[in-house]
Amino acid sequence: QATLSGVLREFEQIQREQREANGCTERREWWERRSRLDLRMKSLIQSLDSEVLGCWRGLLLPRDPGNCPLDEQELSRLLLELRECGWDSP
């Protein structure tokens, strides 16, 4: 079971390795690194979708601004839980 903080750490690591790969001058090595990073990113997105967000992923879908899916108390509680996991900006 993946956690939001674990997913965020992995994302930061992928970004760090991408910056390193950008400095690679050998074409073949660059493509190999990109391919590995792409597979890791795919896995990360799948984990985020299925293990972290689960049924809550529907909250990320675009909605009519006047039709909030959560009442104010539920929304406040969700934001607090997300911040505790390291998410600091809605």
Side-chain angles (χ1 to χ4, degrees):
Q1 184 75 15
T3 63
L4 181 57
S5 59
V7 167
L8 293 174
R9 277 193 305 275
E10 174 67 2
F11 182 65
E12 289 173 2
Q13 181 67 28
I14 290 171
Q15 286 181 313
R16 200 169 17 259
E17 290 179 30
Q18 172 57 42
R19 286 190 292 274
E20 292 171 8
N22 284 341
C24 183
T25 57
E26 185 185 328
R27 180 181 253 175
R28 181 180 175 138
E29 183 181 347
W30 185 89
W31 277 110
E32 288 173 356
R33 286 182 178 194
R34 274 296 332 150
S35 294
R36 285 192 305 269
L37 290 170
D38 287 349
L39 288 174
R40 284 176 59 193
M41 194 65 197
K42 179 181 178 182
S43 176
L44 180 70
I45 291 169
Q46 289 171 337
S47 293
L48 179 64
D49 186 49
S50 64
E51 297 177 29
V52 177
L53 296 176
C55 65
W56 294 100
R57 68 181 172 260
L59 292 174
L60 300 177
L61 297 174
R63 303 238 182 222
D64 176 7
N67 186 14
C68 184
L70 299 174
D71 67 26
E72 288 298 319
Q73 185 177 12
E74 290 173 315
L75 185 58
S76 295
R77 187 173 45 235
L78 177 61
L79 288 173
L80 178 63
E81 290 178 19
L82 289 171
R83 285 187 181 112
E84 289 173 358
C85 293
W87 190 62
D88 60 358
S89 178

